[in-house]
C-alpha cells in the first residue's frame, strides 16, 4: 500500500488511511491551462473522503469532500493556472 508519491495524468493510484497514517500526500506536475479531475474513493472503513490541493507556492487552490455520500470526493475539471508541482 502506497503512502503517497508522484502521479501522472491518467493514472489511478491506491493508498490507505489508518489511525497510524492519517494522510497520504500525492504530487503531480501541472501545466498552465490544463484541466484535471481528482477523485478519492473510500473502499472500506468509515472515514469521510476528503482532500485539499496545494499549488506550487504552497497555497490551497482547491478541495473536495464527500459530505453527501461519505464515500467519494471529487474535484471536476480543476483549472491549472500556474505550471509547477501540485500536492494533494
Amino acid at each position: 500500500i502506497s503512502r503517497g508519491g508522484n502521479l501522472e495524468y491518467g493514472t489511478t493510484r491506491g493508498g490507505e488511511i489508518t489511525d497510524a497514517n492519517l494522510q497520504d500526500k500525492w504530487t503531480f506536475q501541472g501545466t498552465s491551462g490544463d484541466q484535471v479531475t481528482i477523485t478519492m474513493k473510500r473502499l472500506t472503513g468509515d472515514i469521510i473522503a476528503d482532500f485539499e490541493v496545494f499549488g506550487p507556492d504552497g497555497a490551497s487552490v482547491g478541495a473536495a469532500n464527500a459530505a453527501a455520500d461519505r464515500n467519494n470526493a471529487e474535484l471536476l475539471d480543476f483549472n491549472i493556472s500556474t505550471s509547477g508541482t501540485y500536492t494533494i
Side-chain angles (χ1 to χ4, degrees):
I1 304 274
S2 180
R3 298 287 184 229
N6 296 319
L7 297 171
E8 294 189 25
Y9 288 168
T11 62
T12 299
R13 300 289 298 268
E16 183 177 40
I17 306 296
T18 65
D19 288 340
N21 179 55
L22 296 177
Q23 65 180 358
D24 285 350
K25 290 186 180 181
W26 299 92
T27 60
F28 67 94
Q29 294 301 312
T31 301
S32 180
D34 286 353
Q35 279 191 333
V36 299
T37 294
I38 302 166
T39 304
M40 177 183 179
K41 295 183 177 186
R42 181 184 78 192
L43 301 178
T44 63
D46 60 358
I47 68 164
I48 298 173
D50 69 356
F51 62 84
E52 189 167 7
V53 181
F54 298 90
D57 64 357
S60 177
V61 294
N65 67 57
D69 72 4
R70 301 178 58 92
N71 294 317
N72 304 316
E74 189 166 52
L75 188 60
L76 296 170
D77 299 327
F78 173 71
N79 292 308
I80 301 293
S81 60
T82 304
S83 295
T85 301
Y86 285 74
T87 302
I88 306 167

